[in-house]
C-alpha cells in the first residue's frame, strides 16, 4: 500500500518505496512470456500450449534426467485440467531462452480459461519469476467448411 509521507501546497506529495537491488543469482530460471493460449483462441481438444523459459542466472544450466526442470500448467474455466512437461536434455546459457510446448491440452469448451504456469527447478535461487498466468477465451465452436458460399437471401 502506497501511503503519502508528505504533502505540499498544490498537488504534490512524497511517497516512500523500498527497492532491493542485488547481483544476479547464479541459478535462476524463470518464465518471461506465454505464447499460447492468450486472448481469443480456437476450440481444440489437443491444444499445444507454449511458454518461454529464460535463464536469468549467471551460470549456464545443463538439463538431464538427474537435473530436469518441469513446467506445470493448471487450467481452470470451461474445461479444467493439469498438464506437465519435464525437460531432461539441453543447455541454457545466461540470458538465453527456450520454448517449452505442453501438448494435448483440452480447450474444447466454449468459455473463459485461466491458465497458470509454474516452473520447478531444483536449486533455483529466485522463485518469484517462476510463475505466470494468462486468460484465454474460446468463443465459438462452429466449424465452417470451405469454400463457404452465402446466398445473401435478398
Amino acid at each position: 500500500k502506497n501511503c503519502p509521507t508528505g504533502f505540499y501546497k498544490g498537488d504534490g506529495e512524497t511517497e516512500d518505496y523500498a527497492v532491493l537491488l542485488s547481483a544476479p543469482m547464479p541459478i535462476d530460471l524463470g518464465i518471461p512470456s506465454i505464447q499460447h493460449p492468450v486472448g481469443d483462441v480456437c476450440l481444440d481438444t489437443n491444444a499445444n500450449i507454449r511458454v518461454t523459459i529464460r535463464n536469468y542466472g549467471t551460470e549456464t544450466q545443463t538439463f538431464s534426467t538427474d537435473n530436469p526442470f518441469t513446467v506445470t500448467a493448471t487450467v481452470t474455466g470451461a474445461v479444467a485440467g493439469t498438464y506437465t512437461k519435464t525437460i531432461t536434455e539441453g543447455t541454457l546459457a545466461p540470458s538465453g531462452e527456450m520454448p517449452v510446448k505442453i501438448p494435448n491440452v483440452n480447450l474444447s469448451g466454449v468459455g473463459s480459461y485461466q491458465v497458470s504456469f509454474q516452473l520447478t527447478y531444483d536449486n533455483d535461487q529466485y522463485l518469484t519469476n517462476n510463475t505466470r498466468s494468462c486468460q484465454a477465451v474460446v468463443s465459438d465452436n462452429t466449424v465452417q467448411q470451405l469454400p463457404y458460399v452465402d446466398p445473401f437471401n435478398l
Side-chain angles (χ1 to χ4, degrees):
K1 184 174 178 181
N2 295 336
C3 297
T5 57
F7 291 97
Y8 304 95
K9 286 186 176 183
D11 295 326
E13 69 179 47
T14 302
E15 294 182 4
D16 290 337
Y17 295 92
V19 177
L20 173 63
L21 301 176
S22 64
M25 308 283 183
I27 303 172
D28 179 18
L29 297 184
I31 303 173
S33 63
I34 299 168
Q35 280 68 54
H36 182 71
V38 176
D40 292 329
V41 297
C42 294
L43 176 126
D44 194 344
T45 57
N46 294 300
N48 292 312
I49 61 176
R50 297 178 304 281
V51 297
T52 299
I53 304 302
R54 181 180 175 90
N55 183 356
Y56 290 101
T58 59
E59 295 179 359
T60 296
Q61 300 303 306
T62 302
F63 312 114
S64 66
T65 54
D66 295 329
N67 187 42
F69 75 85
T70 302
V71 178
T72 302
T74 303
V75 180
T76 58
V79 180
T82 300
Y83 306 88
T84 302
K85 176 73 173 194
T86 301
I87 303 299
T88 58
E89 60 184 39
T91 60
L92 195 53
S95 300
E97 295 183 344
M98 71 175 2
V100 173
K101 178 176 74 172
I102 301 175
N104 304 316
V105 175
N106 187 352
L107 301 176
S108 65
V110 173
S112 296
Y113 292 85
Q114 171 78 25
V115 184
S116 299
F117 293 91
Q118 173 69 46
L119 168 67
T120 305
Y121 186 54
D122 288 345
N123 303 315
D124 195 330
Q125 296 170 306
Y126 187 71
L127 304 178
T128 302
N129 57 8
N130 289 14
T131 59
R132 189 160 296 269
S133 296
C134 65
Q135 297 275 339
V137 176
V138 174
S139 57
D140 188 3
N141 63 358
T142 303
V143 176
Q144 298 292 335
Q145 297 297 322
L146 297 177
Y148 175 76
V149 178
D150 192 331
F152 295 104
N153 297 324
L154 300 174

